[in-house]
Structures are given as C-alpha cells and as structure tokens.
Amino acid sequence: MQHGATDFESFTRAMTAAPAAQEDERRRQQSNRNSRDAKRETQALLMALREQPTDAGLREELKQNLETLKQDADLVADNALGQQAKAALSALNSGGDTTPAFDAAMPA
C-alpha cells in the first residue's frame, strides 16, 4: 500500500492539473477570437473615419476600440498587434490627417 498512496497522490495531482490547463487553453483561444474580432471592428472604424474625418463620436469610438485592442494584444502576448494599436492611438491623438499614420500602423 505504500506505493499505492504515492500513486494516488500523483493521480489526483494530475487530475486537478488537467482541468486547469484546459481552462487556460480555452481562455487563450477565446482571447485570440476576441482580438481578431476587435481588429476587424477597428479596421471598419478606420475606414469609416476616413470617410468622416471630423466625426468626434467616431473618433472616440475608435479610440476606445484601439485601447481595448491594445489590452487584448497584451493579454495574448501579441507584441506586434499591441504596437500597431499603440501607434494608431498616437496618430488618433495627434489630430490632423490620420490616414497615412493609420495605414502604417494598422495594415489590412
């Protein structure tokens, strides 16, 4: 029985670790999906802002979306996307013609 207790302890550790690892993977996949959706929405907002560059409400919505996108990128360790969102936020906050800066920061 001496070996049985050790085997049982190993078994219970493995059983409790597996669901935690599965949950981590599920969260990572969901975060990746959220990032892809946010990126698509950001692209749509960028296109709308090109058509209506003086729309303050649209600018604010885009700013919030970019901040969320940057946070999501940080969560999934997508450094490139995080840098793109940061650059686009800088361009948006600078005012003026943002089209060239957006094109560079957020390629399609």
Side-chain angles (χ1 to χ4, degrees):
M1 282 310 275
Q2 189 175 22
H3 294 288
T6 302
D7 291 341
F8 181 72
E9 289 170 5
S10 297
F11 172 76
T12 56
R13 275 195 301 276
M15 293 303 292
T16 56
Q22 290 171 348
E23 181 63 19
D24 288 346
E25 178 63 16
R26 187 194 64 75
R27 285 184 187 149
R28 187 189 62 74
Q29 289 175 356
Q30 182 63 42
S31 188
N32 284 339
R33 280 190 295 275
N34 290 347
S35 292
R36 282 192 305 270
D37 292 346
K39 188 170 182 179
R40 272 188 236 117
E41 185 177 339
T42 300
Q43 292 290 352
L45 289 169
L46 287 170
M47 291 175 69
L49 187 62
R50 287 182 180 127
E51 294 174 13
Q52 302 172 27
T54 59
D55 186 332
L58 187 56
R59 280 182 171 275
E60 185 58 33
E61 185 177 355
L62 179 58
K63 181 179 176 181
Q64 290 174 0
N65 188 276
L66 286 167
E67 288 171 351
T68 299
L69 186 62
K70 183 181 174 305
Q71 290 171 353
D72 288 349
D74 291 344
L75 286 174
V76 296
D78 187 339
N79 294 331
L81 182 58
Q83 290 300 320
Q84 289 173 343
K86 185 177 177 181
L89 274 167
S90 294
L92 186 62
N93 290 329
S94 71
D97 182 15
T98 56
T99 301
F102 284 152
D103 288 344
M106 300 293 291

